[in-house]
Amino acid sequence: MEAQNIKTIETYFSALAAGDMATFSSLFADDVVWVQPGNNAFSGIKKGFNEVGAMVGGMMEASGGSFVVKPTSNPMANGDFVSIAVTFSGKTQTSSIDMTGVDLFQLKDNKIVGVWLFSDDQAAEDQFWGK
């Protein structure tokens, strides 16, 4: 189970890096819950892949397609949970961001059912995305 969960998260990051939205979206359960931290335009609890997809699309639009998330560690599994250290960066017309964080995924039946993100400097991320 843990090996398959790690493989799913590796596929998630590969699909994200390649812009393969078909594969990316196929990794989520229909009723996924994504908890986006902070107090910015994208913060809050997203329920279902339609809301997650709209958030990711909004981030790409706001950053002119420059927003990138990359793993900086191997995925670490504990039962249904996988965590991974990441770096994320992007630019808008008025600012830029280059920050580390941790992403935590919950999986069930080879699908991502929950996502929690943690940023190294949430106030700076909030400022980057704005309200």
Side-chain angles (χ1 to χ4, degrees):
M1 170 179 60
E2 289 179 350
Q4 180 57 49
N5 289 343
I6 285 173
K7 184 177 179 181
T8 298
I9 297 310
E10 289 172 339
T11 301
Y12 165 95
F13 281 103
S14 295
L16 197 57
D20 180 355
M21 291 298 109
T23 299
F24 179 78
S25 64
S26 75
L27 300 172
F28 291 88
D30 291 339
D31 59 350
V32 63
V33 175
W34 182 299
V35 181
Q36 187 71 23
N39 185 22
N40 63 66
F42 300 107
S43 296
I45 298 172
K46 313 303 182 214
K47 295 181 180 177
F49 188 76
N50 286 341
E51 289 185 15
V52 171
M55 177 192 64
V56 172
M59 290 174 153
M60 293 307 289
E61 183 178 337
S63 68
S66 70
F67 189 65
V68 176
V69 180
K70 295 180 183 178
T72 59
S73 72
N74 292 319
M76 299 165 275
N78 184 344
D80 292 339
F81 292 89
V82 176
S83 67
I84 189 164
V86 299
T87 184
F88 56 97
S89 60
K91 296 179 181 178
T92 66
Q93 292 181 348
T94 58
S95 65
S96 64
I97 193 168
D98 189 359
M99 187 177 298
T100 59
V102 174
D103 292 358
L104 176 64
F105 301 88
Q106 183 179 16
L107 295 99
K108 183 177 180 184
D109 300 325
N110 299 323
K111 296 285 186 180
I112 299 168
V113 297
V115 181
W116 296 264
L117 305 182
F118 303 85
S119 298
D120 188 44
D121 185 344
Q122 189 61 56
E125 184 180 1
D126 289 344
Q127 184 176 12
F128 173 74
W129 291 121
K131 278 298 239 171

